[in-house]
């Protein structure tokens, strides 16, 4: 019996999406997931990560029911009416899992395409980019930070939850750029919370993004996942 090409085709489709995500965001999926868990992503990128997680879960479901069908047809079980019922039920479950996977892939693609379009129009070389120092400062602030004024010297600096300190002039520069904001309702001697703005999260997400050309979108062959609906009985 010829080898079923469906698993390899599905893996290639998933891999293509992973490469497109990295090419357009400058980060691999695992890094984006870590940023998502820390609340560093803007709404669009956070949605992309959540949808990719859903896609991964649906692919696990497809693999489970495909494996179950292989086992049922392997000759391990006696051929009787009970086996036919189990096979029929597994086919239906596999079809539902495949449809869920295709729907999840479409959601990922729909969210990814505007990100790819934005990446294609990224600033040209020579325009202002987020420096390595500013990127490090934003990463430090993202974990929690407060601006304090020393009661004796009057000097102000940002103290992060990790213990790092950021000079006040650097904070002012990030504020002027609209990348961070602080809660001025708290007195400085008690600590004013400093957080990333939406622009700051976006800048951190796209910081140092490599100038990678977008992955070409090739037309899927007839019957290839995920564009072709699952076979219906």
């Amino acid at each position: 019996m010829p080898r079923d090409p469906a698993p390899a085709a599905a893996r290639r489709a998933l891999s293509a999406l992973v490469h497109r995500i990295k090419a357009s965001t400058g980060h691999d999926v695992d890094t984006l997931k870590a940023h998502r868990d820390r609340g560093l992503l803007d709404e669009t990128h956070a949605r992309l990560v959540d949808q990719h997680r859903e896609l991964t879960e649906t692919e696990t479901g497809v693999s489970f029911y495909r494996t179950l069908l292989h086992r049922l047809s392997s000759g391990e079980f006696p051929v009787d009416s009970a086996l036919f019922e189990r096979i029929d039920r597994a086919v239906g479950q596999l079809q539902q899992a495949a449809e869920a996977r295709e729907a999840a892939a479409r959601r990922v693609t729909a969210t990814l395409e505007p990100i790819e379009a934005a990446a294609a129009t990224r600033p040209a070389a020579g325009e202002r980019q987020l420096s390595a120092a500013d990127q490090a400062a934003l990463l430090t602030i993202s974990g929690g930070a407060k601006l304090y004024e020393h009661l004796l010297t009057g000097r102000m600096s940002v103290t992060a939850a990790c213990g790092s300190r950021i000079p006040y002039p650097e904070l002012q520069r990030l504020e002027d750029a609209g990348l961070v904001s602080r809660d001025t309702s708290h007195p400085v001697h008690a600590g004013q919370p400093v957080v990333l703005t939406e622009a700051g999260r976006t800048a951190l997400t796209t910081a140092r993004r490599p100038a990678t050309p977008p992955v070409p979108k090739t037309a899927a062959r007839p019957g290839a996942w995920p564009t072709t609906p699952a076979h219906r009985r």
Side-chain angles (χ1 to χ4, degrees):
M1 173 181 288
R3 186 182 181 89
D4 180 8
R11 285 193 295 270
R12 286 195 297 270
L14 285 172
S15 179
L17 280 175
V18 168
H19 287 306
R20 287 175 60 184
I21 290 172
K22 184 173 183 179
S24 60
T25 66
H27 301 284
D28 57 40
V29 172
D30 289 338
T31 299
L32 288 173
K33 287 179 179 177
H35 286 348
R36 172 70 173 101
D37 294 339
R38 294 178 61 186
L40 302 181
L41 302 182
D42 59 25
E43 181 181 351
T44 302
H45 286 79
R47 183 168 62 252
L48 177 65
V49 171
D50 292 342
Q51 290 171 341
H52 186 271
R53 280 174 169 159
E54 293 174 0
L55 175 58
T56 302
E57 292 173 359
T58 60
E59 173 58 23
T60 300
V62 169
S63 298
F64 173 81
Y65 291 115
R66 180 186 291 117
T67 301
L68 176 59
L69 272 176
H70 280 304
R71 183 185 177 194
L72 292 174
S73 60
S74 66
E76 178 181 350
F77 303 97
V79 179
D80 54 18
S81 59
L83 176 62
F84 295 142
E85 290 176 2
R86 292 184 66 185
I87 290 176
D88 187 64
R89 184 164 58 249
V91 168
Q93 292 168 328
L94 177 60
Q95 179 175 344
Q96 292 176 0
E99 290 172 348
R101 180 185 64 184
E102 291 165 8
R106 288 193 294 269
R107 288 193 292 271
V108 171
T109 301
T111 301
L112 180 59
E113 286 177 346
I115 296 175
E116 289 177 322
T121 58
R122 67 170 61 95
E127 294 188 27
R128 185 181 183 277
Q129 299 287 331
L130 190 66
S131 68
D134 287 347
Q135 182 183 2
L138 292 178
L139 280 171
T140 299
I141 292 172
S142 69
K146 289 184 178 182
L147 173 66
Y148 289 97
E149 179 181 18
H150 195 283
L151 291 177
L152 297 179
T153 64
R155 297 184 61 181
M156 294 194 295
S157 64
V158 176
T159 300
C162 63
S164 299
R165 291 183 181 275
I166 300 173
Y168 183 58
E170 186 168 353
L171 172 65
Q172 289 180 305
R173 187 174 66 255
L174 295 175
E175 279 188 307
D176 291 342
L179 301 177
V180 301
S181 64
R182 51 192 170 106
D183 187 352
T184 56
S185 64
H186 293 71
V188 182
H189 67 269
Q192 290 182 345
V194 181
V195 297
L196 301 186
T197 63
E198 188 73 15
R201 288 192 292 271
T202 300
L204 188 58
T205 300
T206 58
R208 302 172 70 86
R209 177 187 291 155
T212 305
V215 177
K217 304 174 188 176
T218 57
R221 297 188 306 277
W225 177 81
T227 57
T228 302
H231 175 69
R232 296 184 181 275
R233 297 173 59 238

